[in-house]
Amino acid sequence: MVKENCGVVGIFSRDGTNVIPMVIDALRALQHRGQEAWGIAIPKKAPIKRLGLVSGASGEYQKITEEYASPAAIGHVRYSTVGKSNLENAQPLKVKDLCIAHNGTIANVAELANLVGGCTFTPQNASDTLVAAQRLVSLMSTNGKLGSALSILKNEMAGSYCFTFVSDDNAVYAARDPRGFRPMVLGSKEDGQVTIVASESSALTAIGAKLVRDVLPGELLKFSNSGMESEMFSEEKKHAHCSFEFTYFAHPTSRMEGTNIYVARKRIGQFLARKFPIKDADLVIPVPDSARPAALGYAQELGIQFDEGLLKDRYSKKGPLRSFIEPHQSDRVEINRWIIPITEIIAGMHVVVIDDSLVRGTSSKAIIKALRRAGARKISMLITYPPIKYPCYAGIDFPSQDELATGVIGDGVTDEQVIDKIRRDIGADFLGYNDAENLANAVGIPLDSMCFTCTSGDYSTLGIKPIFKSREEMKGE
């Protein structure tokens, strides 16, 4: 199965302004959501797609802006999890007169592919986005409008999705899945002449737009010269907002479900301090960068010194990138090599290291080794996210169970035994994980409105019963 968690944007200008420069800037502001490929689509043209970072094509910006000049456009940054890193899998995709960009995962993609004639689907030559687009276009040919098609497709499709579309009749659309797994926000600028939808509000800030509100779960928006139209294609009362967005994935400046991400992370650190008050510690340090606000909140709550004991080398080739969303283990190791300890801060200290999550254990093991070499006397590691025990089928690359640090947990094995095994594997003196209830309380969203499937193994909100496979089986190798 091809799974992706990415970033999407859609912009429409009623006064005819060329929105391509804004799309490029918005995609750069969403780069933390995908580092492998990016693309832009406008009406009546094949999408333009490039591998690598958006900034890597800076020499082409003027040419792209002129050749793709349009008042209606969508864009996409891609982080793949199983699909190959090539332009064929990059987005947006075009099917007939509709271009589509997708953030999320369609969990029953093989079943859906059967509804569009099989579409010769394999992880190497197609994506769940393509299957969804083909089905949508097919439904629109018999049902007319996109909203009617989505109201049918939502019953056929299991998974998470935020879609942006641009049609050949110069309209931009955006749709968010009925559970609200993945985030999506609405913004405007130029006194409402320009309307924007994006995965996060950080993209709005980058182009000088104001956040209007979250796109509602189950809502379809249309932007055209007639203005903005909204309709609900689904009225699902039970939501399942991705909890991992709040600890790691989202940009700290973004506002999501009414909560600023930086403030939420700082509160997570404060609540973590109440759960694990390590009062004999000398120093609290974050694993850069996303754990910084939580580490600060933890230190302030207990009155322990906070400092930057680990720094990323931003001048190395891989240093500025995010290791979690790199698809290859060799690249993740390379990025973590450039997280460098400051011996003068760490030597002789009992250090509390705060990290946002522990997925494979690759980063944690490398960081603890580096802190030992720098002379740390004792290392306690605290994780702001609960233990990840199951793969994610809602758009985050939590790998197959055999790749997770928790491994495949057998019957009769307690959480304490699992955590102690991980502690020994990574070399920490103490290891403590947050729990789902504590995290939800810190964020300020009811526990039953957040998705914690990767920690609980309860896939009922997704409507699936997955058959767990190894990474090799998922790739079809």
Side-chain angles (χ1 to χ4, degrees):
M1 174 172 35
V2 181
K3 303 195 301 177
E4 307 170 358
N5 190 51
C6 311
V8 295
V9 63
I11 306 182
F12 183 85
S13 171
R14 278 197 287 167
D15 61 9
T17 300
N18 180 10
V19 301
I20 298 303
M22 286 185 270
V23 173
I24 290 171
D25 285 343
L27 290 178
R28 292 181 70 180
L30 293 174
Q31 193 76 83
H32 59 287
R33 300 187 71 83
Q35 299 167 172
E36 287 186 56
W38 63 279
I40 294 172
I42 63 170
K44 299 173 185 172
K45 267 196 175 185
I48 180 171
K49 297 185 274 191
R50 296 287 185 269
L51 289 175
L53 302 177
V54 182
S55 58
S58 57
E60 291 187 85
Y61 287 171
Q62 186 171 348
K63 182 182 177 186
I64 292 169
T65 298
E66 291 169 359
E67 289 187 9
Y68 282 77
S70 174
I74 62 172
H76 186 268
V77 287
R78 181 173 194 263
Y79 132 56
S80 78
T81 61
V82 178
K84 302 293 185 183
S85 298
N86 56 33
L87 280 178
E88 189 179 351
N89 280 324
Q91 296 184 34
L93 303 174
K94 184 156 192 173
V95 177
K96 294 191 177 176
D97 63 351
L98 194 70
C99 288
I100 181 172
H102 173 214
N103 170 26
T105 297
I106 295 164
N108 65 332
V109 65
E111 180 185 326
L112 198 61
N114 292 330
L115 297 174
V116 290
C119 120
T120 61
F121 176 85
T122 71
Q124 282 71 36
N125 70 11
S127 73
D128 52 355
T129 308
L130 176 60
V131 176
Q134 290 180 326
R135 182 59 178 155
L136 265 178
V137 169
S138 171
L139 289 168
M140 286 172 70
S141 68
T142 55
N143 293 274
K145 293 185 176 180
L146 183 56
S148 302
L150 277 169
S151 66
I152 297 169
L153 186 64
K154 74 168 171 65
N155 295 321
E156 300 173 345
M157 188 166 64
S160 65
Y161 49 92
C162 281
F163 291 126
T164 54
F165 309 93
V166 64
S167 59
D168 281 354
D169 62 357
N170 297 306
V172 170
Y173 299 83
R176 190 178 183 195
D177 74 63
R179 298 282 192 181
F181 285 104
R182 305 260 63 83
M184 184 176 253
V185 293
L186 170 67
S188 72
K189 64 178 295 187
E190 310 297 345
D191 295 323
Q193 289 297 305
V194 177
T195 314
I196 307 104
V197 286
S199 292
E200 292 186 40
S201 63
S202 58
L204 308 182
T205 305
I207 61 172
K210 291 182 179 178
L211 172 65
V212 175
R213 62 175 173 85
D214 290 294
V215 176
L216 301 175
E219 184 177 23
L220 171 66
L221 296 173
K222 178 184 179 181
F223 312 119
S224 67
N225 285 324
S226 302
M228 185 181 88
E229 301 168 49
S230 168
E231 67 175 287
M232 299 301 294
F233 65 89
S234 177
E235 297 278 1
E236 178 65 60
K237 288 184 170 60
K238 186 172 173 56
H239 296 160
H241 306 302
C242 174
S243 50
F244 199 61
E245 293 277 0
F246 292 92
T247 60
Y248 173 83
F249 222 92
H251 195 275
T253 63
S254 287
R255 188 171 177 83
M256 199 171 281
E257 316 305 335
T259 300
N260 171 263
I261 296 297
Y262 182 91
V263 173
R265 287 177 185 165
K266 195 171 176 185
R267 279 175 57 83
I268 290 167
Q270 292 167 344
F271 278 55
L272 197 62
R274 296 167 198 172
K275 183 178 173 72
F276 297 109
I278 304 175
K279 295 179 179 177
D280 65 336
D282 303 307
L283 182 67
V284 178
I285 65 171
V287 174
D289 288 309
S290 45
R292 188 171 286 115
L296 182 59
Y298 182 94
Q300 289 178 346
E301 182 72 13
L302 294 179
I304 302 172
Q305 180 185 340
F306 169 88
D307 217 327
E308 298 283 357
L310 295 163
L311 290 178
K312 275 189 175 183
D313 181 0
R314 301 198 169 277
Y315 306 101
S316 69
K317 184 178 178 183
K318 291 281 186 180
L321 302 183
R322 306 185 90 180
S323 67
F324 175 82
I325 61 175
E326 283 291 306
H328 304 297
Q329 172 72 359
S330 59
D331 288 331
R332 291 193 290 268
V333 170
E334 175 67 12
I335 291 168
N336 291 319
R337 275 185 59 224
W338 299 105
I339 297 178
I340 302 166
I342 304 169
T343 302
E344 289 78 4
I345 299 293
I346 291 160
M349 296 286 195
H350 174 186
V351 181
V352 174
V353 187
I354 308 287
D355 205 353
D356 52 70
S357 58
L358 199 161
V359 183
R360 300 169 183 87
T362 307
S363 303
S364 304
K365 188 181 291 188
I367 284 164
I368 287 170
K369 276 185 180 177
L371 290 172
R372 296 272 186 220
R373 286 197 300 269
R377 175 172 57 84
K378 186 176 180 182
I379 301 169
S380 298
M381 179 167 260
L382 298 179
I383 311 297
T384 67
Y385 198 78
I388 296 165
K389 304 175 188 175
Y390 303 93
C392 174
Y393 291 84
I396 299 273
D397 182 24
F398 293 153
S400 54
Q401 279 187 297
D402 53 351
E403 291 179 279
L404 292 170
T406 52
V408 179
I409 301 168
D411 293 337
V413 179
T414 66
D415 283 352
E416 289 75 17
Q417 288 172 318
V418 172
I419 292 169
D420 191 58
K421 177 186 179 299
I422 298 168
R423 180 194 66 75
R424 285 182 273 112
D425 288 346
I426 65 174
D429 296 297
F430 176 80
L431 175 63
Y433 281 93
N434 208 352
D435 62 84
E437 186 175 4
N438 202 40
L439 176 54
N441 288 339
V443 172
I445 294 178
L447 180 62
D448 63 2
S449 291
M450 297 183 79
C451 180
F452 283 100
T453 294
C454 58
T455 69
S456 68
D458 178 3
Y459 292 88
S460 60
T461 52
L462 273 168
I464 61 169
K465 290 184 178 178
I467 299 170
F468 299 129
K469 297 179 180 179
S470 69
R471 177 56 59 103
E472 287 69 28
E473 287 173 320
M474 289 193 295
K475 280 187 174 180
E477 294 175 351

